[in-house]
Amino acid sequence: MDPLVPYRLIHTADLHLDSPLKSLALRDPALADIIGNASRTVFERIIGLCLDERVNALLIAGDLYDGAQTSMKTARFLAQQLRRLDAAGIETFIIRGNHDAESRITGQLVLPPSVTVFGAQASVEMRDAGGQRIALHGISFAKPHAAESLLPRYKQPVPEAVNIGLMHTSLDGSEGHDHYAPCRLSDLEQSGFHYWALGHIHARAHHAGAVHIVMPGIPQGRDIGEAGGKSVTLVSVADDGSVSVEERSTAIARFARVDVPLDGLTDWPEIVAALGASLRAARRAYGEDHLVLRPVLTGASPLLWRLRRDQAVLREEAVLCAEGIGSLWIDKVELACTDTPRPDTAGPLAELSRQVAAMTTPPAVPPAAVMAEADAVMDVLAKALPRPLRGLLGDDPAAQAALRDQLLHEGAAEVLAHLHGTGDAD
């Protein structure tokens, strides 16, 4: 350990140990098995990083678990890993997030003596390291919801100490994340603390200045909605009290979208070749053990109708290429391309195509009868699904309506593709 750096720590959050996988498990069970175990593998990597870097502490800013889960296997795994730190003299500081508050095993878990779990009342843990005083502040969620900012409940910064705060918060809000313990960035900047170890939002953010405010993000993505590199934060407190921050990669699998430009390509073999080239380039670009890609076809193509009609075939082409590359998986193939202009045609199929396109192409709104029928079909489907999977159709009426509209547009586009294909040679 550098003698000029008396105190070092690893900051992580949102591990969601043993988080259940829904859509991924349905789409590819083999991939689901890899990702389903990834949260444990990544936590072991984080523990290993703490040991390799010989840090003083591990900070976990909430959401160790994934809600009201009941498996004591997860609890035992956590305790076993934290005992590795305990044996090395490394402390662990934990706050409970909204998911931890829901977990039934949180209160039953027996942790090593080197682990401090902050309670629902604000408290401060003082440590001395090489003559430097360190004040670690924290508050845990007592219930799954916290509508008000927690910042006013924190103790005042300790004079002549480096003050580090752990907080689980949505900050000013983030798309795709519930609004929990909202807190303005400017308030954290003016708090008198030196480092804020945040959790809750799954995308990494580092606001540097007089105070470092770090949202480390989830250390292992679980689906394409958590795409990109994932990491933890190594924090060093120098003997003069200054704080420095380093990002350290942790994920064993990366989710990513990869563009496949189609402009200028006029036949199916060219498109398949372009798809393969994009997959190989992505595999070279990323160093994670596994890469889960969603190829996104862009540009203009005279074969848009066939891409829509044979999208399943195109995905199989992508899967075959991925298998040849190795350690690469295909999430799905997304069509974001447009059609090339075509001369007007006559006949009943052409007229039907124009009518369907006019009715279903955004921002057009399908007739009320079509919307009602679609709602009825989704209702029947929701009732037929097992309860844990019903969220696939949306967690609230707005999300369900958005999915309905998306499926209507996609379905109409597929119908048009099949109609178009009847008049064209492959």
Side-chain angles (χ1 to χ4, degrees):
M1 184 183 294
D2 188 338
L4 298 180
V5 183
Y7 200 80
R8 304 170 82 224
L9 60 89
I10 295 290
H11 164 210
T12 188
D14 302 287
L15 289 122
H16 294 275
L17 291 173
D18 296 338
S19 173
L21 303 172
K22 296 177 181 178
S23 58
L24 185 61
L26 291 174
R27 192 177 300 135
D28 194 326
L31 177 57
D33 184 58
I34 291 173
I35 304 302
N37 292 318
S39 63
R40 289 193 179 207
T41 303
V42 165
F43 190 58
E44 290 174 342
R45 284 188 174 187
I46 293 171
I47 299 299
L49 180 62
C50 290
L51 297 171
D52 291 344
E53 293 289 344
R54 299 172 61 196
V55 300
N56 300 85
L58 169 65
L59 273 54
I60 303 175
D63 285 359
L64 262 171
Y65 308 122
D66 198 69
Q69 62 126 305
T70 57
S71 173
M72 287 303 294
K73 291 182 180 179
T74 304
R76 286 194 295 271
F77 167 77
L78 175 64
Q80 288 167 357
Q81 294 304 313
L82 295 182
R83 278 197 288 270
R84 293 173 61 195
L85 298 185
D86 182 69
I90 298 173
E91 293 190 278
T92 303
F93 297 90
I94 300 173
I95 58 172
R96 294 170 179 156
N98 51 295
H99 284 277
D100 301 319
E102 293 179 320
S103 174
R104 298 173 188 173
I105 64 175
T106 300
Q108 305 172 22
L109 184 59
V110 178
L111 295 171
S114 59
V115 177
T116 298
V117 180
F118 288 94
Q121 300 297 321
S123 62
V124 184
E125 293 285 331
M126 296 298 304
R127 299 292 183 270
D128 290 313
Q132 184 65 259
R133 299 180 73 208
I134 308 294
L136 295 120
H137 302 246
I139 299 176
S140 285
F141 276 40
K143 298 179 180 180
H145 299 283
E148 304 296 330
S149 172
L150 297 175
L151 183 59
R153 295 168 52 188
Y154 279 74
K155 302 289 187 181
Q156 289 297 308
V158 177
E160 298 182 0
V162 176
N163 288 268
I164 298 171
L166 287 80
M167 181 186 290
H168 201 74
T169 174
S170 60
L171 285 177
D172 296 315
S174 177
E175 184 178 354
H177 291 274
D178 294 321
H179 209 52
Y180 287 118
C183 181
R184 289 184 298 183
L185 195 63
S186 58
D187 291 336
L188 294 179
E189 291 171 335
Q190 298 167 18
S191 64
F193 283 49
H194 298 82
Y195 183 89
W196 278 103
L198 305 184
H200 183 60
I201 297 173
H202 290 186
R204 179 179 175 81
H206 176 199
H207 306 278
V211 53
H212 289 275
I213 303 170
V214 176
M215 188 74 73
I218 192 168
Q220 171 59 63
R222 298 169 296 176
D223 56 41
I224 198 68
E226 295 170 345
K230 303 301 174 187
S231 60
V232 298
T233 303
L234 174 62
V235 182
S236 300
V237 180
D239 59 354
D240 63 357
S242 62
V243 175
S244 59
V245 173
E246 298 177 49
E247 182 181 1
R248 295 296 181 90
S249 298
T250 54
I252 67 165
R254 174 190 284 252
F255 289 83
R257 288 178 170 85
V258 55
D259 285 345
V260 184
L262 300 187
D263 292 306
L265 307 184
T266 58
D267 61 31
W268 187 266
E270 288 181 321
I271 291 174
V272 172
L275 176 61
S278 295
L279 297 183
R280 288 188 289 273
R283 179 65 280 184
R284 290 192 297 270
Y286 301 124
E288 286 82 355
D289 298 5
H290 298 277
L291 183 58
V292 186
L293 294 182
R294 178 176 291 187
V296 181
L297 277 58
T298 63
S301 172
L303 295 181
L304 177 59
W305 65 270
R306 183 174 175 187
L307 293 171
R308 285 173 172 162
R309 188 193 70 180
D310 296 337
Q311 193 165 353
V313 176
L314 187 64
R315 184 183 185 280
E316 286 305 310
E317 295 277 13
V319 169
L320 285 172
C321 182
E323 290 175 348
I325 295 170
S327 66
L328 194 155
W329 306 76
I330 301 300
D331 170 57
K332 61 183 289 189
V333 176
E334 183 177 319
L335 300 182
C337 45
T338 59
D339 202 355
T340 54
R342 297 173 55 83
D344 290 336
T345 57
L349 287 181
E351 178 58 29
L352 179 59
S353 295
R354 281 189 286 270
Q355 290 182 15
V356 173
M359 183 176 66
T360 61
T361 301
V365 178
V370 174
M371 302 280 272
E373 181 66 21
D375 284 335
V377 171
M378 290 188 68
D379 185 57
V380 170
L381 179 58
K383 290 177 180 177
L385 284 172
R387 188 171 295 277
L389 297 181
R390 292 179 185 176
L392 294 173
L393 299 180
D395 295 321
D396 55 62
Q400 292 164 4
L403 178 61
R404 175 204 62 201
D405 294 346
Q406 176 189 340
L407 293 175
L408 278 172
H409 294 311
E410 290 177 356
E414 186 171 345
V415 169
L416 290 175
H418 283 276
L419 292 177
H420 186 169
T422 62
D424 291 83
D426 287 352

